[in-house]
Amino acid sequence: MSIGRRSKAQVAVSRPIVYRRDSRCCVVDGLFEAVRWPCAGGLTVQHRRGKGMGGSALGDDPKSLVVMCAFHNVLQTADAGFAEVCCRYGWAVPRFIADRNDLSRIPVKYVDGWFLLSGEDRFRVSDETASELMLEAYGDLFD
């Protein structure tokens, strides 16, 4: 099976798990960013680690995916300001960061707080812990 087919098959298995974990809501919905960039379109899964050219079957597991509306999914690659927000909130992780970090150690911002993702579950972490983990992963990238 080709990498593309294997990846699509793995995402198909992960999709219902991620939808359930994320309560079938775009991760942006309900946050301040939704005022500037409101949700639109159907729901989809967003790879937190960009696949880049050539693709990979890695990163198709639930800890590597979040739910986004179609608009935010496209905007993440089309708008530099929104792309930075996605990185700051763990919705997207640049490849050079993801390649040297375990995505389950990079927190994700949801409307109800910060969480670490592990398969079907998400585990709440404090704002302070989230900040420490982001600093550990990103260093001073956002200073």
Side-chain angles (χ1 to χ4, degrees), residues 8-125:
K8 286 181 183 195
Q10 289 173 194
V11 170
V13 169
S14 295
R15 184 176 289 110
I17 295 167
V18 174
Y19 280 175
R20 190 170 34 256
R21 182 199 66 213
D22 291 356
S23 302
R24 293 189 176 352
C25 293
C26 176
V27 291
V28 182
D29 193 24
L31 293 172
F32 176 74
E33 284 69 28
V35 173
R36 181 170 178 196
W37 297 290
C39 291
L43 295 177
T44 186
V45 291
Q46 166 74 27
H47 284 86
R48 294 177 65 206
R49 176 185 186 268
K51 291 199 163 220
M53 294 181 59
S56 170
L58 300 174
D60 295 331
D61 62 314
K63 75 176 181 227
S64 303
L65 303 166
V66 293
V67 173
M68 277 192 172
C69 67
F71 175 70
H72 289 128
N73 189 297
V74 170
L75 191 65
Q76 193 271 326
T77 57
D79 181 287
F82 186 70
E84 183 176 324
V85 168
C86 290
C87 290
R88 286 180 183 267
Y89 284 171
W91 305 330
V93 180
R95 232 184 141 119
F96 71 95
I97 299 292
D99 286 347
R100 65 176 195 235
N101 287 278
D102 176 2
L103 287 185
S104 67
R105 300 270 310 143
I106 299 177
V108 176
K109 177 73 170 170
Y110 288 88
V111 71
D112 56 342
W114 286 94
F115 292 85
L116 295 176
L117 305 182
S118 176
E120 296 182 27
D121 301 314
R122 53 184 202 157
F123 301 95
R124 182 183 297 276
V125 295

